[in-house]
Amino acid sequence: MLRLSELKLPLDHRDEDLPEAVCRRLRIPREALRGHQLVRRSIDARRRGAIALVYCLDLDLDLPEAEHRRLLRRFRNDPHLRPSPDTHYLPAAGPGTARPLPTPRQRPLVIGAGPCGYFAALLLAQMGLRPLLLERGRPVKQRSADTFGFWKGQRPFDPESNAQFGEGGAGTFSDGKLYSQVSEDERLVRKVLEELVAAGASREILTRHRPHIGTFKLATVVRGLRRRIEELGGEVRFEARLQELLLDPEPTLEGSGPRYRLRGIRLADGEEIKAERVILAPGHSARDTFTRLQEQGVAMESKGLAIGVRIEHPQTLIDRARWGEAAGHPRLGPAEYKLVHHCSNGRAVYSFCMCPGGLVVGATSEEGCVVTNGMSQHSRNERNANSGLVVTIEPEDMDPWGRYPSDPLAGIAFQRHWERLAYVAGGSDYRAPAQRVEDFLACRPSGSEPATTDSHPLKGSYLPGLRLTSLDDCLPALVCESLREALPAFERRIPGYIGSDSLLTGVETRTSSPLRLPRDRSSLQSINVAGLYPGGEGAGYAGGILSAAIDGIKLAEALALSLPHPQHPEAPGESACDPA
């Protein structure tokens, strides 16, 4: 099989045009193309008047061996024709390696049922290791009822069952994007996508350039992942919040920091579970967990983050700006955008988690705080587009909330400070503070009149509701300054971006974890706790569903490889963080 990429066809091409274009590109007769398989389809909209679909295909050619060799020689300098790569995933510890584990302590534990935790548990289960997965929140059905009930004002806020905590993690109430900003191993990407399809996702995620699932379908998928883990001998328990680790001190070299060996965990209800190996994937909002881990001496460090607002526009405005006269074409769907501006003050302002045809929703995990996020269904058919617009924050900016770098929890205090101010600015009832873009740029509060008027037709979508005010009351001055410089620059990219049909809602603070739990590069264990495998977005090693799931696979592989073979028991005290 050969893989042909960057094959461009007009937007309105016929299905039969595709194989003909392949043959023209390769200069082979039509009968030589036995078949083709779609690998990926993307959109090239750089010329709005000539939007093209871009195909990547695996080709099954019927050519004599000599002709095949001549074809490869002819295209030897063409990077868009190459042998099809092997994207089949092979587990590091081998499939189906079920065996009696020597003691209950060696049953792997996984903390957190987000994408990292679920994929770690799934891989461990597929290797026959019967993991126990513990999630502090509720199953997705009850969690959805709690979360939607809160948004609609029908249920009180529940700090253990909300847009952050519960089965599926924070990504359950999002757009369900399945692409990464960094290059990932193609085999691991394929493994994640295929497992999601097996759990109930649409097969189109295997071939779309920027695939997404959508909130309602994500709920189905996470239930499917849970069912597959349980069918393979794993166990999933809900409303089981980690209280603390059970640690034994380890010998250390003079002058080095404390080191520990994990022997188990204690849950919030007092139950103790013996465990020598724990994958810790609590998500970026598990602030109580991070606080207790720091008290116990687990290594962690501050890292930069970004905060800002959600901006909304009519989806039709974004479609016209991106697609031109082709807006509304069935092969295009709702348009997305990605924007970056480097400010004169050294900050970067960028769009984050853009949701076409979606909603802005309440995403706090703590009482007395307001946090925004974007969410959309698979159809992306709501009237508004929304995106985070966030400004980079460096660890030293957090000094008033904790001295950098000695206090790794300073970022949490920084986030919480602005979330609490947003709660007050919104009316102290979980409504979010909002401001029209034209008012924000003019440094004047938006009036108290309804959000929708003849002159301001956009209706903000935030649930539980909005209060028009000034966002300067709940954002750092440097963030407001940076946004006021960036917004006119974005207008030049997307006409109408700062017009009357644009609304800002605050605050967007949970773009990523504000800290990292350092781990050994080879064993993936904590640098000072043997047996602890921190990972996913909360531990600072991922940014989104796909990268978190891939990190979960890597952690499961590392844990499985660390297990003693029946003929080769583990040497006492052997670990990645033992002193040399």
Side-chain angles (χ1 to χ4, degrees):
M1 296 280 280
L2 293 179
R3 177 161 293 181
L4 178 64
S5 58
E6 289 297 308
L7 182 66
K8 295 186 179 182
L9 274 77
L11 184 60
D12 286 314
H13 75 79
R14 302 169 302 162
D15 290 344
E16 54 267 32
D17 293 338
L18 188 57
E20 294 174 4
V22 170
C23 295
R24 285 197 306 272
R25 177 77 172 79
L26 301 185
R27 301 196 293 276
I28 59 175
R30 177 65 181 85
E31 59 270 17
L33 179 61
R34 197 157 37 206
H36 65 273
Q37 180 178 342
L38 177 63
V39 176
R40 190 172 300 108
R41 190 183 80 174
S42 57
I43 299 168
D44 183 352
R46 287 174 293 182
R47 296 171 58 202
R48 288 191 304 169
I51 294 176
L53 298 179
V54 186
Y55 289 89
C56 178
L57 305 165
D58 279 341
L59 310 177
D60 182 12
L61 302 182
D62 185 11
L63 290 173
E65 184 62 30
E67 286 291 326
H68 196 275
R69 286 198 298 269
R70 278 195 291 272
L71 176 70
L72 291 177
R73 279 199 303 272
R74 193 163 69 244
F75 287 91
R76 62 183 177 273
N77 295 322
D78 188 336
H80 303 307
L81 184 70
R82 57 190 175 97
S84 298
D86 179 9
T87 58
H88 180 64
Y89 171 76
L90 295 174
T97 55
R99 61 183 185 272
L101 296 178
T103 69
R105 288 180 181 272
Q106 290 184 328
R107 184 187 192 187
L109 294 190
V110 179
I111 307 297
C116 178
Y118 254 162
F119 270 83
L122 178 62
L123 263 290
L124 291 169
Q126 289 175 341
M127 290 186 282
L129 297 174
R130 304 185 301 280
L132 170 60
L133 187 150
L134 304 172
E135 165 58 44
R136 67 186 293 167
R138 296 187 177 124
V140 71
K141 183 176 180 179
Q142 295 95 310
R143 178 193 181 195
S144 296
D146 293 334
T147 304
F148 280 94
F150 166 64
W151 289 341
K152 295 176 181 179
Q154 299 167 351
R155 296 191 182 193
F157 172 72
D158 187 334
E160 294 296 338
S161 184
N162 48 62
Q164 302 292 348
F165 296 144
E167 185 177 23
T172 302
F173 299 101
S174 71
D175 188 49
K177 294 177 178 64
L178 297 173
Y179 46 88
S180 176
Q181 302 300 321
V182 297
S183 178
E184 302 282 7
D185 186 313
E186 196 168 353
R187 296 186 187 195
L188 295 180
V189 172
R190 187 73 182 184
K191 170 67 171 173
V192 171
L193 297 181
E194 288 179 347
E195 293 293 353
L196 291 172
V197 169
S202 169
R203 291 193 62 82
E204 71 178 24
I205 68 172
L206 298 174
T207 56
R208 290 191 61 170
H209 174 56
R210 297 169 70 86
H212 78 286
I213 298 180
T215 291
F216 286 163
K217 287 200 174 184
L218 270 169
T220 300
V221 169
V222 297
R223 284 195 296 267
L225 290 172
R226 187 209 319 164
R227 182 174 59 254
R228 301 192 71 217
I229 291 167
E230 292 171 339
E231 289 171 349
L232 291 166
E235 182 184 351
V236 181
R237 289 171 53 184
F238 296 99
E239 299 183 71
R241 177 167 59 84
L242 173 68
Q243 182 67 26
E244 61 184 359
L245 305 177
L246 302 178
L247 304 173
D248 290 330
E250 290 270 271
T252 61
L253 294 174
E254 185 177 353
S256 65
R259 295 176 182 270
Y260 308 93
R261 177 171 289 278
L262 185 69
R263 60 179 171 85
I265 65 168
R266 181 178 291 114
L267 300 180
D269 63 5
E271 179 186 1
E272 293 189 3
I273 302 175
K274 296 177 181 179
E276 294 177 344
R277 293 167 177 83
V278 172
I279 291 176
L280 181 67
H284 60 40
S285 293
R287 294 168 170 177
D288 49 357
T289 300
F290 297 135
T291 299
R292 182 62 185 134
L293 291 177
Q294 188 204 34
E295 293 170 350
Q296 293 193 273
V298 177
M300 61 180 66
E301 60 192 19
S302 295
K303 70 179 187 65
L305 51 88
I307 73 168
V309 295
R310 279 268 147 189
I311 187 166
E312 286 189 89
H313 303 89
Q315 181 63 50
T316 52
L317 184 149
I318 305 301
D319 291 345
R320 288 195 302 270
R322 288 279 284 126
W323 307 140
E325 293 183 1
H329 194 287
R331 277 180 167 162
L332 292 176
E336 303 178 54
Y337 63 81
K338 182 178 179 181
L339 300 169
V340 180
H341 176 73
H342 296 280
C343 296
S344 57
N345 62 9
R347 307 289 166 164
V349 179
Y350 60 94
S351 58
F352 170 80
C353 188
M354 193 268 159
C355 295
L359 303 171
V360 182
V361 296
T364 185
S365 58
E366 295 183 336
E367 294 179 336
C369 293
V370 162
V371 179
T372 65
N373 193 23
M375 180 186 86
S376 57
Q377 306 301 346
H378 181 73
S379 61
R380 291 176 163 175
N381 61 359
E382 299 289 342
R383 75 173 73 183
N384 291 354
N386 76 77
S387 175
L389 277 189
V390 295
V391 180
T392 52
I393 303 293
E394 301 301 330
E396 50 267 31
D397 297 326
M398 306 169 199
D399 276 357
W401 292 272
R403 184 61 58 182
Y404 171 79
S406 59
D407 183 3
L409 302 181
I412 291 175
F414 177 82
Q415 290 173 322
R416 184 182 285 132
H417 173 79
W418 301 107
E419 292 166 9
R420 287 176 172 170
L421 288 181
Y423 178 77
V424 173
S428 300
D429 56 6
Y430 293 104
R431 286 180 297 161
Q435 191 172 11
R436 297 189 184 93
V437 170
E438 57 190 7
D439 292 334
F440 177 77
L441 291 173
C443 299
R444 62 173 181 258
S446 289
S448 58
E449 71 273 12
T452 306
T453 66
D454 290 341
S455 59
H456 302 282
L458 180 77
K459 182 179 181 180
S461 65
Y462 178 86
L463 297 172
L466 295 170
R467 178 174 180 263
L468 291 174
T469 183
S470 171
L471 292 174
D472 288 84
D473 296 336
C474 54
L475 287 170
L478 68 90
V479 170
C480 294
E481 171 192 324
S482 302
L483 288 172
R484 288 185 172 110
E485 179 180 328
L487 283 163
F490 294 157
E491 169 74 17
R492 293 191 287 273
R493 299 274 302 279
I494 301 178
Y497 199 79
I498 62 175
S500 61
D501 282 356
S502 52
L503 183 73
L504 303 176
T505 304
V507 290
E508 178 91 5
T509 53
R510 309 286 181 94
T511 55
S512 64
S513 180
L515 53 82
R516 179 179 291 110
L517 275 61
R519 64 191 189 191
D520 179 79
R521 289 189 177 184
S522 58
S523 74
L524 303 190
Q525 296 178 56
S526 163
I527 61 171
N528 75 330
V529 180
L532 182 66
Y533 295 79
E537 194 160 345
Y541 292 97
I545 294 172
L546 179 64
S547 59
I550 289 174
D551 199 51
I553 293 174
K554 294 176 180 177
L555 292 171
E557 291 179 338
L559 186 152
L561 289 171
S562 78
L563 286 168
H565 192 276
Q567 283 74 42
H568 302 284
E570 184 178 40
E574 184 179 46
S575 79
C577 61
D578 279 338

